[in-house]
Amino acid sequence: MHNGILSEVGNTPLVKLSRVFKDFNFEFYAKLEGFNPGGSIKDRAALNIIMNAFETGAIGPETTIIESSSGNMGIGLAQICAYYGLPFICVIDPKTTKSNIQILKAYGAGIDYVSEPDPDTGEFLRARIDRVKELLISIPNSYWPNQYSNQYNFRAHYQTMSEIVAQLGREPDYLFCATSTCGTVRGCSEFVRDKGLRTKVVAVDAEGSVIFGDRQAKRLIPGHGASMVPELHRPDLIDRFIHICDLECIVGCRRLVRQEAILVGGSSGAVFMAIDRNKEIIEPGATCVAIFADRGERYLDTIYSDSWVSTHFKGMSHLWLEQKDQQLYATAMS
Ligand SMILES: Cc1ncc(COP(=O)(O)O)c(C=O)c1O
């Protein structure tokens, strides 16, 4: 049991969305992880990692926590460290949005800015991790949660799946889940395996992310996707994976706002579009659950900004866009 604001991590709502797929004969539910107090699903992993580190003595009340994150994990850790009075340094890069930096600072996090990518790989992730390792050496009594390999990241999501089954009152036929460290998909799929559920787990990754073997390419929407294969990745526990591109994320997010009045982040748009791509083949009567990892407020300057979309996607034509979305983009990009 946790105290104060941390007692509100988890137990997020599962909401039935009956408009977006109204012409199809399956039920669609969204697990709204943006209702966590830090605003995203990463609160669960951050809390589980820090509590375990306290329990095992890996950290104490004076330990400095250091993590590389450009977004939700950093914010989740910043919240927990603020609650326990632990110093926290978040290693960020130029891709971190201004509003995320402001949130981190508001929670009292120290910001360590990596301005150059790794010279060998051209990757910021590699450069940020190298910087974390330098800081660990120079700061005594410091600790790196290492969300890409920490077992307590994925173990937090046993609970996420357990909540879904309890809220539905049965196992869903499909679970659609975005991937980055693979903590969420691994924890949920281990629950499915251990409980002998029939749920098919579908991982939703970003086009240009290497987790499922795609060739690395530039991505603009943060949250899901990774430029290295995380140690937590267990492809044998996943039934299928689907790659979704940046523009599809944007369309998905905007369609959810338009039709369901739900303002969510890019990976949620991706998960929704993954279901949309499969809507013709999902069996009648099936139950689909999508995990919506965060809220849309962190993306107002990107996904929900017509000028940003126009700058980055102008002239792109995508035949899979519904007619209404074609119009939306024609307007956004004119
Ligand atoms: C918005 C968003 N969606 C999806 C994910 C992927 O979650 P995981 O790291 O558990 O694979 C993240 C991870 O940071 C995220 O911030």
Side-chain angles (χ1 to χ4, degrees):
M1 292 305 291
H2 303 288
N3 294 322
I5 192 67
L6 302 185
S7 64
E8 292 305 309
V9 174
N11 292 316
T12 53
L14 183 74
V15 176
K16 186 170 182 181
L17 304 183
S18 32
R19 295 179 178 177
V20 268
F21 297 122
K22 67 177 177 348
D23 299 330
F24 294 85
N25 198 7
F26 61 85
E27 288 187 353
F28 175 39
Y29 292 83
K31 181 83 168 147
L32 299 180
E33 290 296 308
F35 278 71
N36 280 300
S40 88
I41 195 161
K42 300 303 285 197
D43 282 12
R44 293 177 186 264
L47 184 59
N48 205 35
I49 288 173
I50 294 299
M51 294 324 291
N52 181 265
F54 269 130
E55 273 160 33
T56 59
I59 64 172
E62 311 278 304
T63 305
T64 300
I65 310 298
I66 305 170
E67 181 60 293
S68 149
S69 167
S70 53
N72 288 328
M73 184 63 171
I75 293 170
L77 284 169
Q79 172 190 232
I80 291 152
C81 291
Y83 187 82
Y84 285 109
L86 298 168
F88 173 52
I89 299 174
C90 192
V91 178
I92 63 163
D93 66 34
K95 288 186 192 162
T96 313
T97 62
K98 203 173 129 205
S99 69
N100 279 357
I101 297 172
Q102 285 169 329
I103 297 168
L104 287 165
K105 285 186 176 165
Y107 276 117
I111 303 292
D112 193 277
Y113 185 78
V114 168
S115 57
E116 296 298 327
D118 175 69
D120 298 331
T121 61
E123 274 305 315
F124 274 105
L125 179 58
R126 177 68 45 216
R128 285 197 323 232
I129 288 173
D130 287 347
R131 179 66 185 146
V132 168
K133 289 178 180 165
E134 275 172 26
L135 290 170
L136 287 168
I137 293 167
S138 63
I139 301 174
N141 189 12
S142 54
Y143 173 77
W144 178 24
N146 195 357
Q147 56 166 331
Y148 283 90
S149 69
N150 193 314
Q151 306 288 306
Y152 292 93
N153 172 358
F154 80 77
R155 287 190 193 169
H157 298 291
Y158 221 74
Q159 171 68 16
T160 312
M161 190 65 199
S162 163
E163 287 172 23
I164 290 171
V165 174
Q167 286 166 309
L168 269 182
R170 60 186 188 277
E171 71 217 82
D173 295 289
Y174 294 95
L175 178 78
F176 285 76
C177 173
T179 52
S180 178
T181 64
C182 294
T184 312
V185 80
R186 166 104 178 250
C188 290
S189 54
E190 287 209 359
F191 184 90
V192 167
R193 178 200 62 196
D194 293 350
K195 302 286 174 193
L197 307 184
R198 289 173 298 109
T199 308
K200 291 195 176 68
V201 177
V202 183
V204 181
D205 198 16
E207 226 174 77
S209 155
V210 304
I211 301 173
F212 291 93
D214 202 10
R215 241 200 28 231
Q216 187 169 324
K218 193 174 159 203
R219 293 175 284 118
L220 295 174
I221 310 284
H224 61 311
S227 57
M228 63 180 197
V229 179
E231 278 175 50
L232 301 183
H233 184 39
R234 277 282 307 272
D236 54 307
L237 296 176
I238 293 163
D239 293 280
R240 256 189 88 185
F241 62 85
I242 297 175
H243 284 112
I244 297 288
C245 73
D246 284 348
L247 186 54
E248 274 177 299
C249 293
I250 296 166
V251 170
C253 286
R254 289 179 172 222
R255 207 190 280 173
L256 283 165
V257 171
R258 195 174 68 228
Q259 292 178 254
E260 300 280 1
I262 293 185
L263 191 73
V264 282
S267 71
S268 308
V271 166
F272 164 61
M273 290 304 273
I275 300 176
D276 191 68
R277 270 205 212 159
N278 287 282
K279 62 187 178 208
E280 311 283 351
I281 55 167
I282 293 173
E283 303 81 5
T287 305
C288 289
V289 171
I291 298 182
F292 286 177
D294 65 357
R295 301 169 65 91
E297 284 88 337
R298 289 175 189 165
Y299 307 84
L300 296 178
D301 294 336
T302 54
I303 292 170
Y304 297 101
S305 154
D306 287 351
S307 65
W308 184 85
V309 173
S310 170
T311 303
H312 294 282
F313 297 93
K314 197 172 174 125
M316 281 177 79
S317 119
H318 282 266
L319 297 175
W320 41 261
L321 288 180
E322 278 185 356
Q323 205 184 357
K324 265 192 219 142
D325 296 313
Q326 294 277 12
Q327 284 162 9
L328 182 71
Y329 281 91
T331 314
M333 296 174 193
S334 60

